[in-house]
Amino acid sequence: MTTDQNLMLYTKLAGFRLVVLANRFGCDTDFSRELHDRLIEGLEAAVARIRVIMELERTLLVGDDEFIAYQLQGETEIFGRFTINLLDDLEIDFDTHEYRINGGNWINALTADDNGIDIAYPELLALTEEQLGSLVPIVEEITRQTGIPVHAAHAVCGGPSQG
Protein backbone atom coordinates (compact mmCIF):
# COMPACT_ATOMS: atom_id res chain seq x y z
CA MET A 1 0.00 0.00 0.00
CA THR A 2 1.07 3.55 -0.54
CA THR A 3 1.46 6.14 2.19
CA ASP A 4 -1.79 7.81 1.06
CA GLN A 5 -3.66 4.49 1.23
CA ASN A 6 -2.26 3.83 4.70
CA LEU A 7 -3.30 7.30 5.85
CA MET A 8 -6.81 6.71 4.50
CA LEU A 9 -6.96 3.31 6.23
CA TYR A 10 -5.71 4.88 9.46
CA THR A 11 -8.47 7.49 9.25
CA LYS A 12 -11.15 4.86 8.58
CA LEU A 13 -10.01 2.69 11.48
CA ALA A 14 -9.90 5.65 13.87
CA GLY A 15 -13.38 6.66 12.69
CA PHE A 16 -14.77 3.18 13.22
CA ARG A 17 -13.26 3.20 16.72
CA LEU A 18 -15.25 6.35 17.50
CA VAL A 19 -18.43 4.81 16.05
CA VAL A 20 -18.02 1.71 18.22
CA LEU A 21 -17.32 3.84 21.30
CA ALA A 22 -20.49 5.85 20.69
CA ASN A 23 -22.50 2.69 19.98
CA ARG A 24 -21.26 1.15 23.24
CA PHE A 25 -23.33 3.66 25.23
CA GLY A 26 -26.50 1.95 24.00
CA CYS A 27 -25.43 -1.49 25.31
CA ASP A 28 -27.82 -3.04 27.78
CA THR A 29 -25.87 -6.20 28.69
CA ASP A 30 -22.36 -6.97 29.92
CA PHE A 31 -21.90 -9.34 26.97
CA SER A 32 -22.69 -6.60 24.47
CA ARG A 33 -20.30 -4.20 26.25
CA GLU A 34 -17.61 -6.91 26.16
CA LEU A 35 -18.06 -7.35 22.40
CA HIS A 36 -17.78 -3.60 21.89
CA ASP A 37 -14.67 -3.44 24.10
CA ARG A 38 -13.01 -6.25 22.15
CA LEU A 39 -13.81 -4.54 18.85
CA ILE A 40 -12.36 -1.28 20.16
CA GLU A 41 -9.19 -3.13 21.24
CA GLY A 42 -8.94 -4.75 17.80
CA LEU A 43 -9.34 -1.42 16.03
CA GLU A 44 -6.71 0.14 18.31
CA ALA A 45 -4.32 -2.70 17.49
CA ALA A 46 -4.93 -2.18 13.76
CA VAL A 47 -4.32 1.57 14.14
CA ALA A 48 -1.07 0.86 16.01
CA ARG A 49 0.13 -1.44 13.21
CA ILE A 50 -0.69 1.15 10.56
CA ARG A 51 1.24 3.75 12.59
CA VAL A 52 4.29 1.49 12.61
CA ILE A 53 4.00 0.95 8.86
CA MET A 54 3.66 4.68 8.20
CA GLU A 55 6.68 5.45 10.41
CA LEU A 56 8.75 2.86 8.57
CA GLU A 57 7.65 4.41 5.26
CA ARG A 58 8.74 7.85 6.45
CA THR A 59 12.08 6.48 7.64
CA LEU A 60 12.62 4.77 4.29
CA LEU A 61 11.87 8.00 2.42
CA VAL A 62 14.62 9.81 4.34
CA GLY A 63 17.30 7.26 3.54
CA ASP A 64 17.78 4.02 1.66
CA ASP A 65 18.07 1.50 4.48
CA GLU A 66 17.85 -2.17 3.50
CA PHE A 67 16.88 -3.24 7.03
CA ILE A 68 14.02 -0.71 7.18
CA ALA A 69 12.78 -1.89 3.77
CA TYR A 70 12.85 -5.49 4.98
CA GLN A 71 11.07 -4.54 8.22
CA LEU A 72 8.43 -2.58 6.27
CA GLN A 73 7.81 -5.57 4.02
CA GLY A 74 7.38 -7.83 7.06
CA GLU A 75 5.01 -5.44 8.84
CA THR A 76 2.96 -5.06 5.67
CA GLU A 77 2.69 -8.85 5.28
CA ILE A 78 1.68 -9.26 8.92
CA PHE A 79 -0.96 -6.56 8.58
CA GLY A 80 -2.30 -8.31 5.48
CA ARG A 81 -3.25 -11.24 7.73
CA PHE A 82 -4.66 -9.08 10.53
CA THR A 83 -7.98 -10.23 11.94
CA ILE A 84 -10.08 -8.94 14.81
CA ASN A 85 -11.47 -11.70 17.04
CA LEU A 86 -14.29 -10.57 19.30
CA LEU A 87 -14.47 -13.78 21.30
CA ASP A 88 -12.39 -16.90 20.86
CA ASP A 89 -9.39 -17.60 18.67
CA LEU A 90 -8.77 -21.29 18.03
CA GLU A 91 -5.43 -22.69 16.87
CA ILE A 92 -5.15 -26.36 15.94
CA ASP A 93 -1.92 -28.26 15.30
CA PHE A 94 -3.06 -31.33 13.39
CA ASP A 95 0.46 -32.80 13.41
CA THR A 96 0.59 -33.02 17.20
CA HIS A 97 -3.20 -33.29 17.75
CA GLU A 98 -3.14 -30.27 20.04
CA TYR A 99 -5.18 -27.09 20.18
CA ARG A 100 -5.26 -23.87 22.15
CA ILE A 101 -7.87 -21.23 22.66
CA ASN A 102 -7.01 -17.52 22.84
CA GLY A 103 -3.27 -18.16 22.95
CA GLY A 104 -3.53 -20.26 26.12
CA ASN A 105 -1.77 -23.52 26.86
CA TRP A 106 -1.74 -26.27 24.26
CA ILE A 107 -4.25 -29.04 25.01
CA ASN A 108 -3.97 -32.57 23.67
CA ALA A 109 -7.06 -33.60 21.71
CA LEU A 110 -6.13 -37.32 21.71
CA THR A 111 -7.59 -39.81 24.15
CA ALA A 112 -7.08 -43.55 24.08
CA ASP A 113 -8.75 -46.42 25.87
CA ASP A 114 -9.76 -50.05 25.21
CA ASN A 115 -12.18 -48.90 22.52
CA GLY A 116 -9.55 -47.08 20.45
CA ILE A 117 -8.33 -43.58 19.89
CA ASP A 118 -10.57 -40.53 19.96
CA ILE A 119 -9.65 -37.07 18.69
CA ALA A 120 -11.84 -34.21 19.87
CA TYR A 121 -11.06 -30.70 18.69
CA PRO A 122 -13.26 -27.78 19.65
CA GLU A 123 -15.08 -25.94 16.88
CA LEU A 124 -15.78 -22.26 16.43
CA LEU A 125 -19.49 -21.49 16.54
CA ALA A 126 -20.29 -18.06 15.10
CA LEU A 127 -22.54 -15.70 16.99
CA THR A 128 -25.91 -14.99 15.47
CA GLU A 129 -26.91 -11.54 14.25
CA GLU A 130 -29.21 -11.33 17.27
CA GLN A 131 -26.26 -11.99 19.61
CA LEU A 132 -24.11 -9.39 17.82
CA GLY A 133 -26.95 -6.88 17.95
CA SER A 134 -26.09 -3.34 16.90
CA LEU A 135 -22.55 -4.40 15.94
CA VAL A 136 -23.72 -6.27 12.83
CA PRO A 137 -23.74 -3.29 10.43
CA ILE A 138 -20.57 -1.85 11.98
CA VAL A 139 -18.63 -5.10 11.66
CA GLU A 140 -19.83 -5.52 8.07
CA GLU A 141 -18.70 -1.99 7.19
CA ILE A 142 -15.31 -2.44 8.87
CA THR A 143 -14.65 -5.52 6.76
CA ARG A 144 -16.03 -3.95 3.58
CA GLN A 145 -14.15 -0.67 3.88
CA THR A 146 -10.85 -1.89 5.37
CA GLY A 147 -10.58 -5.52 4.29
CA ILE A 148 -9.98 -6.54 7.93
CA PRO A 149 -12.08 -9.57 8.85
CA VAL A 150 -13.93 -9.42 12.16
CA HIS A 151 -14.76 -12.81 13.70
CA ALA A 152 -17.19 -13.39 16.54
CA ALA A 153 -17.28 -17.04 17.53
CA HIS A 154 -17.18 -19.20 20.66
CA ALA A 155 -14.96 -22.27 20.87
CA VAL A 156 -17.21 -25.21 21.75
CA CYS A 157 -16.25 -28.81 22.29
CA GLY A 158 -17.78 -31.18 19.77
CA GLY A 159 -18.06 -34.92 19.89
CA PRO A 160 -14.98 -37.04 19.32
CA SER A 161 -14.10 -38.37 15.90
CA GLN A 162 -12.39 -41.66 15.27
CA GLY A 163 -8.73 -41.37 14.34
Side-chain angles (χ1 to χ4, degrees), residues 39-60:
L39 184 53
I40 290 165
E41 289 171 9
L43 290 167
E44 288 172 348
V47 164
R49 283 219 173 267
I50 288 293
R51 280 184 181 158
V52 168
I53 289 170
M54 290 182 348
E55 182 60 36
L56 289 169
E57 287 173 337
R58 280 190 292 274
T59 303
L60 194 58

Side-chain angles (χ1 to χ4, degrees), residues 78-163:
I78 289 169
F79 188 76
R81 295 186 303 268
F82 190 84
T83 301
I84 298 173
N85 289 306
L86 299 185
L87 291 173
D88 293 334
D89 179 35
L90 176 63
E91 294 175 79
I92 297 177
D93 184 335
F94 292 103
D95 292 330
T96 64
H97 303 291
E98 294 177 310
Y99 66 90
R100 67 179 175 176
I101 300 171
N102 299 327
N105 293 328
W106 287 98
I107 300 167
N108 195 330
L110 272 175
T111 58
D113 61 17
D114 294 339
N115 295 325
I117 297 173
D118 290 327
I119 303 172
Y121 296 111
E123 295 179 283
L124 288 177
L125 182 63
L127 294 182
T128 64
E129 287 189 6
E130 183 179 310
Q131 291 170 310
L132 275 174
S134 62
L135 281 179
V136 171
I138 297 170
V139 164
E140 289 172 350
E141 275 304 298
I142 289 171
T143 300
R144 190 180 71 71
Q145 289 191 30
T146 68
I148 297 173
V150 179
H151 298 281
H154 280 295
V156 293
C157 292
S161 61
Q162 291 297 323

Side-chain angles (χ1 to χ4, degrees), residues 4-60:
D4 288 343
Q5 289 172 323
N6 284 332
L7 187 56
M8 187 180 303
L9 182 57
Y10 175 89
T11 304
K12 286 179 182 180
L13 291 168
F16 279 122
R17 182 186 170 279
L18 291 175
V19 168
V20 176
L21 274 170
N23 195 50
R24 187 184 186 282
F25 286 109
C27 294
D28 55 357
T29 66
D30 288 340
F31 181 69
S32 180
R33 280 186 286 280
E34 170 83 17
L35 290 176
H36 280 74
D37 291 345
R38 294 287 301 266
L39 184 53
I40 290 165
E41 289 171 9
L43 290 167
E44 288 172 348
V47 164
R49 283 219 173 267
I50 288 293
R51 280 184 181 158
V52 168
I53 289 170
M54 290 182 348
E55 182 60 36
L56 289 169
E57 287 173 337
R58 280 190 292 274
T59 303
L60 194 58

